[in-house]
Amino acid sequence: MAKYPKWHRVDPDNFDLSSIDTGTKLGADGKKINRNDAEAIYQKNIEAIKTLQFKMWAEKKTSLLVVFQAMDTGGKDGAIRKCFGPLNPQGVETQAFKVPTAEEASHDFLWRVQKHSPAKGMIQIFNRSHYEDVLVVRVHNYKPESVWRKNYTHINNYEELLSDSNTVILKFMLNISLDEQKERLQERLDDATRHWKFSSSDLKERKFWPQYMEAFEEALIQTSKKHAPWYVIPADRKWYRNYAITTIVRETLESIEMEWPKAEEGLADIKIDS
Ligand code: ATP
Ligand code: MG
């Protein structure tokens, strides 16, 4: 249904997360891009995505699910604001997935997620997602391996169902370096207006960086599929991140066949008199 761009896409047969440069400046054409040029393309992408979203919303045939996963401070909030904030809010929904509530934890792990599967015509954004059940759950042994390992299959089946129901799926891992996380955490400490963003649990999680990278790598390999690809976005530079995400979203939406809904017959003959 959708033709997905190759740039930054995870090839499950040949993928090594640690070899990816989180601070790259290589553009979609393989050449270095500077900030000004990337920002100009980002602006054009936003305008194009707005029009495509309008068409998708009018047609109500296809939907788009965008999944964001990242380490703390990876830029999920900023990426969502910058890449989807300018769109028609009536056509976009965002859902964040935090530590499961008691009610959520009393159901299967997909229960809380499936309630937010996108309606036709909508763009649905997941800020964290069902992938937490093969990431944080794995890293901290919240459930035994025999349980979380099966989740790859459950996730793949769920996403296949979505795809069969005309949902196009894009999954972004915002890939920052350990050093960049250190700087971002320090910035939050140094700026009183950002103290609310600082959580001492982020420091605790930081100690598990290698385990998270291992969990991410396997999750991406196990679940990057033709109809639901993962993209690893170099995210140390925010301008690069926004340029890359909007380029991929735009190209993906452009590849979907969409039609304006059929108009009433005889519109050309109608004159509005008074
Ligand atoms: P921000 O810090 O930018 O506000 P966030 O997404 O980090 O956003 P937090 O409330 O800080 O939000 O953290 C949410 C926490 O919930 C994360 O540590 C995440 O790993 C955890 N979490 C999400 N889903 C699950 C799950 N299924 N099981 C256990 N923990 C989960
Ligand atoms: Mg957090």
Side-chain angles (χ1 to χ4, degrees):
M1 188 171 47
K3 196 171 164 290
Y4 290 100
K6 260 208 161 138
W7 189 47
H8 297 312
R9 190 173 73 196
V10 171
D11 173 359
D13 297 324
N14 178 23
F15 179 64
D16 171 13
L17 182 56
S18 66
S19 71
I20 294 175
D21 178 3
T22 55
T24 189
K25 287 186 184 171
L26 288 184
D29 59 0
K31 295 187 195 130
K32 258 195 182 168
I33 189 159
N34 65 42
R35 181 172 180 161
N36 279 346
D37 291 347
E39 284 177 347
I41 295 173
Y42 157 82
Q43 282 301 344
K44 282 193 190 146
N45 286 343
I46 291 289
E47 290 312 310
I49 294 169
K50 275 186 185 170
T51 307
L52 290 158
Q53 178 206 19
F54 195 47
K55 201 166 183 181
M56 178 185 263
W57 194 61
E59 190 191 35
K60 300 216 173 358
K61 190 176 146 202
T62 322
S63 54
L64 176 70
L65 172 65
V66 187
V67 172
F68 281 98
Q69 287 287 161
M71 294 299 285
D72 293 306
T73 77
K76 291 181 282 101
D77 288 349
I80 292 169
R81 195 172 61 244
K82 285 286 193 176
C83 303
F84 297 94
L87 304 189
N88 175 2
Q90 292 199 94
V92 185
E93 276 187 26
T94 307
Q95 182 61 37
F97 295 97
K98 311 269 182 181
V99 176
T101 62
E103 191 191 16
E104 288 169 348
S106 71
H107 291 82
D108 71 84
F109 81 104
L110 287 176
W111 180 78
R112 65 174 182 164
V113 174
Q114 279 176 318
K115 283 198 282 193
H116 297 283
S117 298
K120 301 229 183 313
M122 294 295 291
I123 295 181
Q124 175 71 53
I125 297 162
F126 284 175
N127 181 346
R128 301 188 189 267
S129 66
H130 39 308
Y131 284 92
E132 292 291 328
D133 275 80
V134 288
L135 296 169
V136 67
V137 168
R138 167 181 177 155
V139 168
H140 290 298
N141 295 310
Y142 290 150
K143 292 175 191 168
E145 179 166 357
S146 58
V147 172
W148 62 251
R149 190 157 279 289
K150 279 182 132 185
N151 290 345
Y152 297 129
T153 309
H154 297 312
I155 288 172
N156 285 332
N157 289 338
Y158 166 54
E159 292 180 357
E160 196 177 329
L161 169 65
L162 290 182
S163 169
D164 288 346
S165 315
N166 271 3
T167 296
V168 174
I169 305 170
L170 284 171
K171 299 179 290 192
F172 294 114
M173 182 222 177
L174 305 182
N175 193 25
I176 57 165
S177 67
L178 190 60
D179 277 351
E180 180 65 22
Q181 190 193 52
K182 183 177 168 202
E183 275 182 34
R184 292 186 186 186
L185 287 170
Q186 191 60 52
E187 276 168 21
R188 290 180 180 186
L189 287 171
D190 294 344
D191 176 354
T193 67
R194 289 185 173 196
H195 282 174
W196 64 276
K197 276 203 145 224
F198 184 84
S199 160
S200 42
S201 73
D202 294 353
L203 295 182
K204 218 179 77 206
E205 289 313 298
R206 182 174 159 77
K207 298 215 165 68
F208 291 92
W209 192 277
Q211 290 91 324
Y212 270 108
M213 291 305 113
E214 201 183 323
F216 263 112
E217 185 168 272
E218 185 168 9
L220 271 48
I221 289 171
Q222 296 276 3
T223 63
S224 198
K225 302 287 173 189
K226 262 202 183 118
H227 58 271
W230 272 104
Y231 289 84
V232 176
I233 304 295
D236 282 354
R237 293 185 172 83
K238 292 171 186 168
W239 59 262
Y240 184 92
R241 174 198 77 197
N242 300 336
Y243 150 69
I245 292 172
T246 54
T247 298
I248 292 163
V249 171
R250 174 188 181 162
E251 283 184 24
T252 302
L253 289 176
E254 279 173 346
S255 77
I256 304 171
E257 263 182 49
M258 290 193 251
E259 310 251 352
W260 292 106
K262 263 217 163 94
E264 277 179 43
E265 301 268 323
L267 288 194
D269 304 330
I270 298 179
K271 281 216 173 75
I272 315 285
D273 293 333
S274 52

